[in-house]
Amino acid sequence: MKTILLWFQRIADGVAVIMLAAMFLIFCAQIFSRYVLNAPIGWSSELLLTLWLWVIFWTGAFCLRNKDHIRFDLLFLSVPGKVQRIFLILSALGIIIGFGISFLPTWDYITFYKIKKSAILKWRLDYVFSIYGVFLGVIILRYGIALIQYLNPNYKVQDDDKDEQVEE
């Protein structure tokens, strides 16, 4: 199972790298065209914005580990392990409930955008913004799996649940 997850992680990382490389190349082409050829490329800024949107939500859903996210854990680190486990359960429930409540209205809004197209490339905006729905679904799934682990009576708080401490 870990091998399959590692394989999916590498694919997700590869997709993110491809999107970032495409952004870099398009950005370089845009600069070259604008300042050397004196002929700006109109579609490049729209494509860059779309790729940026996709990179942010793709990596947030598939590439970042829990410890890579920004957390305010001063209180979490100052309590014993059993209380930390309760904090983990409550935070996972909060994320699942909050994102779960917003999922259907968000997906409804995204699908509403099928009637609109982007200005230059004429892409349907529901396709452009669909990555946010994917992001919501994956985050709900990830925290659902984490919640099941946290609810296991044998679960002990691991280093992945804590940030590395900076020694002074």
Side-chain angles (χ1 to χ4, degrees):
M1 182 68 173
K2 285 195 180 228
T3 308
I4 293 171
L5 290 175
L6 183 62
W7 188 73
F8 280 128
Q9 181 70 46
R10 287 184 180 162
I11 289 173
D13 290 345
V15 169
V17 167
I18 289 168
M19 286 190 287
L20 285 169
M23 286 177 63
F24 176 74
L25 294 173
I26 293 165
F27 186 71
C28 289
Q30 180 184 43
I31 291 172
F32 179 79
S33 179
R34 178 172 298 204
Y35 294 110
V36 176
L37 303 177
N38 200 22
I41 305 171
W43 54 265
S44 62
S45 61
E46 189 172 297
L47 184 56
L48 285 170
L49 287 171
T50 302
L51 280 170
W52 182 244
L53 178 78
W54 273 72
V55 164
I56 294 299
F57 289 116
W58 180 269
T59 56
F62 297 111
C63 300
L64 294 178
R65 298 166 300 192
N66 282 342
K67 68 180 185 176
D68 293 334
H69 291 274
I70 295 173
R71 294 185 286 187
F72 301 100
D73 58 2
L74 185 64
L75 181 61
F76 178 82
L77 293 174
S78 66
V79 296
K82 290 183 180 186
V83 179
Q84 287 179 347
R85 186 168 160 246
I86 292 169
F87 283 177
L88 290 171
I89 290 169
L90 291 176
S91 64
L93 275 172
I95 290 169
I96 292 167
I97 291 169
F99 280 28
I101 289 170
S102 73
F103 184 79
L104 288 179
T106 300
W107 194 253
D108 186 45
Y109 191 72
I110 290 168
T111 56
F112 167 75
Y113 267 111
K114 70 182 170 193
I115 63 173
K116 290 189 159 230
K117 295 187 183 228
S118 63
I120 297 171
L121 295 173
K122 303 297 182 200
W123 288 347
R124 283 180 34 183
L125 291 182
D126 61 333
Y127 295 153
V128 171
F129 296 123
S130 65
I131 188 63
Y132 185 68
V134 172
F135 169 77
L136 280 178
V138 169
I139 295 297
I140 291 168
L141 179 66
R142 284 177 62 178
Y143 277 92
I145 292 168
L147 179 62
I148 292 168
Q149 291 173 347
Y150 301 154
L151 290 172
N152 181 349
N154 298 325
Y155 182 81
K156 293 198 188 311
V157 177
Q158 301 165 356
D159 288 336
D160 283 351
D161 301 320
K162 300 178 182 179
D163 288 335
E164 291 88 21
Q165 295 298 308
V166 178
E167 293 189 26
E168 295 179 27

